[in-house]
């Protein structure tokens, strides 16, 4: 196992290039199950989760390889297998994204239930109900969801749940709808930029989807879809994480490729606490030269404040002037980082789905344990400013979603090294 060792205190200054979005690349890769011919995906980040999806696709007869420029070439070679097994799905929840494409193209999808994870219980009832609405039969077999249909019929499908819509359930239903007979209308669809990217990709393959980016998506089924070339949108969560790196170190960063229009709720909060965020021709600049204000934040589905930046913002607020309140409305248990931040001197108290953060003057380096992807990013951010040395153990969590994080941060002045445990 590997760890990151960070010596805090350096102001970050320079340019970081933002990679393609993990949460766009994964469903788009799964969508290639639907296609005839070759697809070329550009800007697919080289991440552990992407390699995991490649392994799952290989098992399902879909060949992927990177060319010398890093573009990913994908082609379906064998349509026999329809089973995404526990061994692969349990390692990465986004594996559930093969369910819609398998059912639509191969008429059968057997996908292991992903179960819980470090950020809480994560059911898939909306995925299953959404796909059943096309007329598929559903059974639970040895912990696997088994869906079968001779033909899918377009339908009206509601995807609102107790915590808003579901991103990957919207992706699954959209991917099934593109090859279903007739019209499918998704009500309470997720509006995330990654859903828009998936819809744009499918449309470039010949699908007829409208309304992506709004809560009502309409899909008119087609007979076949052909592979295409597509560039994955920049990762707004990676960009947001580096924006906080600039803010927490009182630094000054240019984030090349970052799209401000995908981060409005987040940018609004940053500006309110005193961070300077501007658009420039290649992306976004972020700087801060003073102590920041405390604030209240509630995570919400897009375009609200993203849950995937909650842990990182919490790390920043540990150093704000006064008391901040952060409420998690998507994954109420996604607070594993606060115990570790407390080891670094943060004053954070949890009450239900809310944490109350009493800003302190400084954090101090400590041995801390990464627990999930975004919580780990929050610990790295805290380490950048903490006095002394911070060791973030279990670096593999970070590698699931951040490509070369230590190189990118070191390139703008951070003292960070990857070490073998
Ligand atoms: N939910 C249900 N039933 C379902 C599906 C979801 O009740 O069948 C609930 C969830 O428990 C949660 C809410 O609905 O309370 C929203 O979850 P959603 O389904 O939207 O999450 P997801 O699609 O599984 C994606 C991202 C996550 C991100 C969430 C929320 C991908 C591959 N994953 O997950 O990304 O946190 O949306 O924005 O797109 C990450 O990158 O670190 C990450 C966890």
């Amino acid at each position: 196992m590997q760890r990151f060792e960070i010596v805090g205190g350096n102001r970050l200054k320079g340019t970081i290039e933002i990679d393609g979005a993990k949460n766009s690349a994964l469903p788009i890769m799964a969508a290639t199950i639907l296609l005839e011919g070759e697809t070329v995906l550009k800007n697919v980040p080289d991440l552990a989760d992407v390699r995991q999806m490649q392994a799952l696709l290989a098992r399902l007869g879909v060949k992927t390889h990177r060319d010398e420029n890093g573009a990913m070439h994908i082609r379906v070679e064998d349509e026999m297998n329809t089973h995404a097994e526990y061994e692969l799905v349990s390692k990465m929840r986004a594996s559930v994204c093969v369910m819609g494409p398998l059912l639509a193209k191969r008429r059968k999808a057997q996908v292991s239930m992903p179960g819980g994870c470090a950020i809480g219980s994560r059911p898939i009832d909306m995925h299953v109900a959404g796909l059943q609405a096309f007329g598929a039969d559903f059974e639970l077999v040895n912990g696997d969801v088994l869906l079968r249909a001779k033909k899918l019929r377009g339908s009206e499908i509601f995807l609102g749940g107790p915590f808003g819509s579901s991103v990957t359930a919207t992706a699954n239903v959209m991917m099934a709808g593109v090859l279903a007979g007739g019209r499918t209308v998704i009500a309470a669809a997720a509006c995330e930029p990654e859903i828009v990217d998936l819809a744009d990709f499918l449309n470039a393959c010949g699908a007829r989807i409208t309304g992506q980016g709004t809560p009502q998506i309409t899909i008119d089924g087609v007979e076949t879809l052909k592979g295409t070339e597509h560039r994955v949108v920049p990762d707004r969560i990676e960009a947001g994480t580096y924006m906080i790196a600039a803010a927490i170190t009182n630094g000054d960063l240019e984030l090349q490729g970052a799209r401000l229009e995908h981060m409005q709720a987040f940018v609004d909060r940053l500006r309110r606490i005193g961070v300077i965020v501007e658009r420039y021709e290649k992306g976004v600049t972020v700087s801060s030269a003073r102590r920041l204000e405390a604030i209240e934040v509630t995570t919400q589905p897009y375009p609200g404040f993203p849950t995937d930046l909650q842990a990182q913002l919490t790390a920043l607020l540990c150093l704000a002037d006064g008391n901040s309140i952060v409420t998690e409305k998507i994954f109420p248990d996604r607070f594993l980082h606060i115990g570790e931040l407390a080891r670094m001197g943060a004053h954070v108290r949890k009450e239900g789905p809310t944490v109350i953060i009493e800003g302190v003057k400084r954090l101090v380096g400590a041995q801390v344990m990464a627990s999930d992807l975004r919580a780990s990013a929050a610990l790295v951010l805290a380490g950048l400013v903490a006095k002394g040395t911070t060791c973030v153990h279990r670096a593999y969590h970070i590698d699931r979603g951040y490509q070369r994080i230590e190189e990118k941060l070191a390139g703008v002045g951070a003292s960070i090294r990857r070490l073998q445990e």
Side-chain angles (χ1 to χ4, degrees):
M1 259 194 273
Q2 297 178 334
R3 67 178 186 276
F4 289 116
E5 188 185 88
I6 306 157
V7 182
N10 296 0
R11 286 189 64 210
L12 303 191
K13 190 163 172 42
T15 304
I16 292 180
E17 205 169 315
I18 300 306
D19 289 309
K22 163 180 87 78
N23 290 345
S24 225
L26 296 174
I28 289 176
M29 288 170 71
T32 60
I33 290 173
L34 297 162
L35 310 179
E36 317 287 334
E38 189 179 70
T39 288
V40 181
L41 293 182
K42 295 189 171 160
N43 212 23
V44 177
D46 186 16
L47 300 170
D49 274 14
V50 165
R51 290 190 287 273
Q52 194 65 38
M53 182 59 87
Q54 286 180 276
L56 173 58
L57 288 177
R59 200 71 76 82
L60 295 171
V62 183
K63 199 169 167 208
T64 63
H65 78 274
R66 298 242 189 203
D67 66 22
E68 62 281 6
N69 300 316
M72 187 178 283
H73 295 245
I74 311 182
R75 181 188 282 277
V76 178
E77 297 207 323
D78 177 359
E79 297 198 308
M80 284 301 287
N81 191 13
T82 51
H83 190 182
E85 288 144 338
Y86 181 74
E87 175 208 336
L88 286 162
V89 178
S90 61
K91 288 198 188 123
M92 182 184 66
R93 225 193 107 82
S95 306
V96 78
C97 290
V98 300
M99 201 189 282
L102 285 177
L103 178 68
K105 190 68 176 23
R106 305 186 189 178
R107 304 296 182 227
K108 184 176 165 203
Q110 183 168 354
V111 178
S112 177
M113 292 264 270
C117 67
I119 67 175
S121 109
R122 294 177 72 185
I124 55 165
D125 54 308
M126 280 147 80
H127 298 247
V128 173
L131 295 174
Q132 275 183 288
F134 290 100
D137 293 325
F138 161 67
E139 255 181 281
L140 197 57
V141 183
N142 298 327
D144 292 347
V145 167
L146 176 59
L147 289 157
R148 268 188 286 222
K150 288 215 167 60
K151 184 159 176 41
L152 298 187
R153 284 187 315 272
S155 176
E156 283 184 17
I157 299 169
F158 176 74
L159 285 182
F163 299 100
S165 189
S166 161
V167 180
T168 48
T170 301
N172 257 328
V173 168
M174 204 160 72
M175 292 187 282
V178 289
L179 289 183
R183 174 167 282 195
T184 297
V185 179
I186 309 177
C191 301
E192 271 69 2
E194 295 76 21
I195 290 293
V196 176
D197 201 26
L198 173 63
D200 292 348
F201 167 72
L202 288 167
N203 281 344
C205 298
R208 292 169 59 205
I209 303 172
T210 54
Q212 60 269 33
T214 78
Q216 179 164 312
I217 297 179
T218 303
I219 307 152
D220 288 304
V222 297
E223 291 292 321
T224 54
L225 294 166
K226 284 210 166 54
T228 187
E229 194 175 301
H230 181 80
R231 189 173 176 83
V232 174
V233 287
D235 195 318
R236 64 197 164 98
I237 307 302
E238 189 202 20
T241 303
Y242 290 125
M243 287 164 82
I244 294 179
I248 208 166
T249 61
N250 276 344
D252 190 351
L253 291 180
E254 280 185 5
L255 302 175
Q256 213 167 306
R259 303 256 292 260
L260 206 58
E261 64 274 24
H262 290 167
M263 298 191 280
Q264 287 183 353
F266 173 67
V267 169
D268 173 72
R269 295 288 102 179
L270 282 190
R271 285 181 173 149
R272 277 172 197 247
I273 62 179
V275 181
I276 300 160
V277 182
E278 308 280 359
R279 203 190 292 266
Y280 79 114
E281 69 279 11
K282 289 189 182 155
V284 174
T285 61
V286 191
S287 61
S288 157
R290 61 183 184 86
R291 203 160 145 82
L292 301 169
E293 308 283 329
I295 202 171
E296 277 193 43
V297 182
T298 301
T299 65
Q300 284 170 335
Y302 190 85
F305 188 95
T307 172
D308 291 344
L309 285 170
Q310 178 264 112
Q312 301 90 315
L313 187 79
T314 298
L316 178 64
L317 294 175
C318 287
L319 291 158
D321 209 0
N323 292 342
S324 298
I325 297 177
V326 176
T327 301
E328 181 49 80
K329 284 271 176 84
I330 310 291
F331 298 115
D333 294 325
R334 196 177 202 178
F335 285 117
L336 287 176
H337 42 287
I338 66 169
E340 302 301 296
L341 289 170
R343 293 175 57 74
M344 301 176 73
H347 291 180
V348 192
R349 183 162 51 87
K350 181 171 178 302
E351 283 184 16
T354 295
V355 292
I356 297 136
I357 307 156
E358 186 192 327
V360 292
K361 288 252 161 19
R362 69 152 65 134
L363 295 174
V364 284
Q367 305 279 329
V368 288
M369 189 71 83
S371 55
D372 69 80
L373 169 56
R374 307 303 173 187
S376 319
L379 299 177
V380 169
L381 292 170
L384 292 175
V385 69
K387 187 173 163 45
T389 303
T390 298
C391 281
V392 183
H393 296 272
R394 300 195 179 166
Y396 66 88
H397 284 292
I398 299 186
D399 296 331
R400 294 187 52 190
Y402 295 90
Q403 181 170 253
R404 302 183 292 108
I405 190 170
E406 74 278 25
E407 283 177 40
K408 289 190 180 188
L409 288 172
V412 291
S415 169
I416 176 169
R417 292 192 298 164
R418 183 189 289 265
L419 298 171
Q420 208 62 40
E421 293 281 20

